[in-house]
Amino acid sequence: MNRRTLRDPLALLLTSALLLGGCTINPATGSHQLNFFGEESEIEMGQEADAEIVASVGLYDDPLLQDYVHDLGMEIAASSERPNLPWSFKLLDDPSVNAFALPGGYVYVTRGLMTHLESEAELAATIGHEIGHVTARHGVNQMSKQILASVGLGVASILDEDIADWAFAGQIGLGLLFLHNSRDDERQADDLGLRYAMRAGYDPRQMSELFNVLDAVSKVEGVGRLPNWLSTHPDPGARRKRIEEEVGKLEGDFSNARIERDSYLERLDGMVFGDDPQAGYFEGNAFLHPGLRFRIDFPDGWETANQQDSVSAHSPDGEALVQVGLSDKETREEAEEEFYAEEGLSQDRSWENKVHGLPASWSRFEHSEEGSELRGTVAFVEHGDGIFQVLALSEAASWSEQREDLEEAIGSFAHLDDPRALNARASRVRLIRLKEDMTVERFAKEFPSDAPIETVAMINHVQPGGMLKKGQLAKRVVVD
Ligand SMILES: [Zn+2]
């Protein structure tokens, strides 16, 4: 957890845009398109955003599964129109059902997606779809559009713009994720995904199953650090219907095509399901982090976000922010020095005051930059083996009315010693080979899960009341 140095991603991208503007031929579709970016800067753009995504979301800690996703992706990408990109396929430690791609060949699937799928053919269709966004250069077009929008209209955001600059400084990658794909882009990626998965020998009929999953997920509230796939991939029902029509037109016999159901499900055994409490969780406005053994109380009614490298909350009007991160410095003095080394930032007054018995250096600061005036308070707190940076800030104009509440939030930082929180464990997927047909309700009764019946039905691809078949592997989720 570390707040990164402020920099201006937009300025960097604009420079490349001015240097590299022009018309290119789309490699996957053969048509002409207007593009600001050449392939080299496309790769560079992806590479930079990739580092941000890995740092803020985190990779799922299982080398075998990482290799599996990577190898499957490489096999599918090899048959695409851009086999020579530096492709990378990563499994993210995030419970939301999600997959996305960045320009240059960076493709991600979440553990949430994997636990909701039932076969390698479904995963191949998902990865094929994301490869399609890359080969058709959709992300690059989006980046071009984003730059135009930013220049012409200002950045639309719930957060106050100055606060957003602060909170998301450097996070180009996450900015990209909030972009919506157009319906045309989605149709094209679906068609390309189908083409690539088939070239790799997978059964194209499994692709519609993928949309069934997404349709079911869309009816449930999403969890996780990432926005749900559905926010960038609208209307899975309509897409399923269209892809089924496309598949219906295909010639050929798919009875021997690859599905890989059991071998896929066996890989899921032991995989974390849902939120992992060890990575921090909310109880009302309190945030508890058993892994790092701290807690903090954010103001009531604030919007919260738990990322790999920080946890933050912002006021409903978006004009104030509280953020906790872990410094990479070893002493409070070094951490404070690094913080104030930033341009535009000046220290007001400073004092020493323990927070719940933990040694802490407090100071107030002002930050001015191109018409933006922020005021805030930061405390560097010694806790465990590390120095925590706990800060609160607001627009200068509202600082005097916000200050008391914000400093109270900083002062709520405390050592976490509640054994119930410290011992909280994640649920994991476990597999049962069924000895007879049974309803999903009977399955849940005989092999209980730490999840509602709707969830158990959804991850087993049946409706409540639906039948699971003799001999199949069925998923349950348990804390063990
Ligand atoms: Zn898509």
Side-chain angles (χ1 to χ4, degrees):
M1 304 213 306
N2 201 4
R3 192 180 74 80
R4 292 192 201 80
T5 323
L6 273 176
R7 63 204 151 88
D8 190 348
L10 190 64
L12 181 83
L13 291 168
L14 268 176
T15 318
S16 357
L18 292 172
L19 290 173
L20 293 153
C23 185
T24 55
I25 308 242
N26 185 310
T29 63
S31 65
H32 290 262
Q33 65 188 176
L34 185 67
N35 249 316
F36 289 131
F37 300 103
E39 184 170 290
E40 210 171 296
S41 59
E42 180 192 340
I43 292 168
E44 216 171 285
M45 195 158 81
Q47 205 166 35
E48 194 167 341
D50 174 66
E52 301 290 348
I53 287 178
V54 171
S56 59
V57 184
L59 298 178
Y60 186 62
D61 183 16
D62 185 325
L64 282 178
L65 281 172
Q66 290 291 351
D67 286 350
Y68 171 65
V69 169
H70 178 80
D71 293 349
L72 179 62
M74 291 306 280
E75 187 190 341
I76 300 167
S79 76
S80 78
E81 293 78 4
R82 304 180 76 187
N84 298 323
L85 282 177
W87 292 98
S88 108
F89 299 87
K90 292 180 175 133
L91 175 57
L92 295 176
D93 188 9
D94 191 281
S96 60
V97 175
N98 215 329
F100 55 95
L102 297 176
Y106 297 85
V107 177
Y108 309 84
V109 298
T110 59
R111 63 171 167 82
L113 176 88
M114 277 196 75
T115 52
H116 280 73
L117 299 184
E118 290 229 291
S119 73
E120 192 168 285
E122 291 166 22
L123 183 60
T126 313
I127 290 177
H129 172 100
E130 296 307 330
I131 289 173
H133 280 307
V134 176
T135 54
R137 312 193 84 210
H138 293 157
V140 181
N141 289 325
Q142 283 175 8
M143 284 302 278
S144 306
K145 283 181 200 153
Q146 188 189 33
I147 286 168
L148 292 175
S150 307
V151 174
L153 307 164
V155 185
S157 165
I158 321 161
L159 279 177
D160 175 279
E161 205 180 318
D162 301 336
I163 304 276
D165 281 352
W166 181 288
F168 300 114
Q171 297 190 355
I172 308 173
L174 295 183
L176 257 184
L177 299 187
F178 296 113
L179 291 174
H180 290 245
N181 292 308
S182 75
R183 270 163 209 257
D184 284 348
D185 284 357
E186 285 315 312
R187 262 195 296 276
Q188 196 175 48
D190 284 344
D191 288 344
L192 291 170
L194 187 66
R195 186 199 294 177
Y196 300 150
M198 273 173 63
R199 281 185 193 161
Y202 291 99
D203 185 345
R205 295 168 297 183
Q206 298 302 308
M207 194 157 182
S208 62
E209 187 61 22
L210 174 65
F211 294 119
N212 284 335
V213 176
L214 294 171
D215 217 2
V217 171
S218 71
K219 293 175 178 107
V220 186
E221 266 283 290
V223 286
R225 289 180 282 266
L226 292 163
N228 196 284
W229 211 45
L230 275 311
S231 62
T232 49
H233 292 74
D235 205 356
R239 290 169 61 203
R240 179 188 59 217
K241 228 178 127 216
R242 201 189 63 85
I243 216 72
E244 275 172 356
E245 283 165 17
E246 292 299 310
V247 171
K249 289 183 220 155
L250 294 171
E251 312 240 322
D253 172 16
F254 301 108
S255 52
N256 290 319
R258 288 161 81 185
I259 296 177
E260 301 290 354
R261 188 176 193 280
D262 279 11
S263 65
Y264 176 81
L265 288 170
E266 278 158 10
R267 289 177 200 279
L268 303 185
D269 191 43
M271 203 165 178
V272 172
F273 185 83
D275 276 319
D276 181 354
Q278 289 297 312
Y281 62 98
F282 292 95
E283 268 181 7
N285 63 329
F287 177 75
L288 298 84
H289 199 306
L292 293 169
R293 292 183 167 245
F294 75 89
R295 60 166 293 152
I296 186 167
D297 297 316
F298 290 117
D300 277 327
W302 281 30
E303 292 287 324
T304 54
N306 179 23
Q307 297 197 315
Q308 177 84 355
D309 53 358
S310 68
V311 58
S312 60
H314 66 82
S315 58
D317 64 8
E319 295 206 340
L321 177 85
V322 176
Q323 189 180 52
V324 183
L326 190 58
S327 172
D328 54 8
K329 300 294 178 198
E330 282 174 14
T331 66
R332 283 184 279 150
E333 292 70 27
E334 285 171 340
E336 191 168 43
E337 197 177 316
E338 183 191 50
F339 180 79
Y340 281 106
E342 185 177 301
E343 215 176 310
L345 200 59
S346 56
Q347 190 166 349
D348 188 357
R349 54 170 291 228
S350 65
W351 69 100
E352 298 276 313
N353 192 15
K354 287 188 172 175
V355 286
H356 293 99
L358 304 167
S361 312
W362 296 65
S363 53
R364 292 198 187 128
F365 61 85
E366 291 177 24
H367 183 262
S368 0
E369 191 182 54
E370 291 164 26
S372 138
E373 295 286 334
L374 302 171
R375 302 277 301 269
T377 299
V378 61
F380 294 93
V381 186
E382 278 181 46
H383 175 45
D385 294 333
I387 307 296
F388 286 80
Q389 175 184 297
V390 190
L391 78 79
L393 75 167
S394 78
E395 284 288 340
S398 58
W399 174 245
S400 55
E401 96 196 47
Q402 301 257 24
R403 195 188 73 199
E404 208 173 318
D405 288 348
L406 293 179
E407 290 185 349
E408 189 183 306
I410 296 175
S412 73
F413 185 91
H415 176 71
L416 178 67
D417 51 14
D418 176 359
R420 190 182 51 87
L422 293 177
N423 294 328
R425 291 281 171 266
S427 299
R428 289 176 188 274
V429 174
R430 294 293 174 201
L431 296 156
I432 306 285
R433 177 86 62 189
L434 299 184
K435 295 205 169 66
E436 55 190 311
D437 289 359
M438 61 178 74
T439 61
V440 66
E441 284 75 12
R442 190 179 138 205
F443 171 69
K445 206 168 174 187
E446 285 185 27
F447 305 98
S449 279
D450 300 303
I453 183 70
E454 292 78 14
T455 303
V456 178
M458 181 165 67
I459 61 175
N460 283 294
H461 296 200
V462 292
Q463 303 285 329
M467 290 297 282
L468 302 174
K469 297 263 179 289
K470 177 183 175 182
Q472 83 161 81
L473 285 170
K475 296 175 201 157
R476 66 193 292 224
V477 290
V478 281
V479 178
D480 58 10

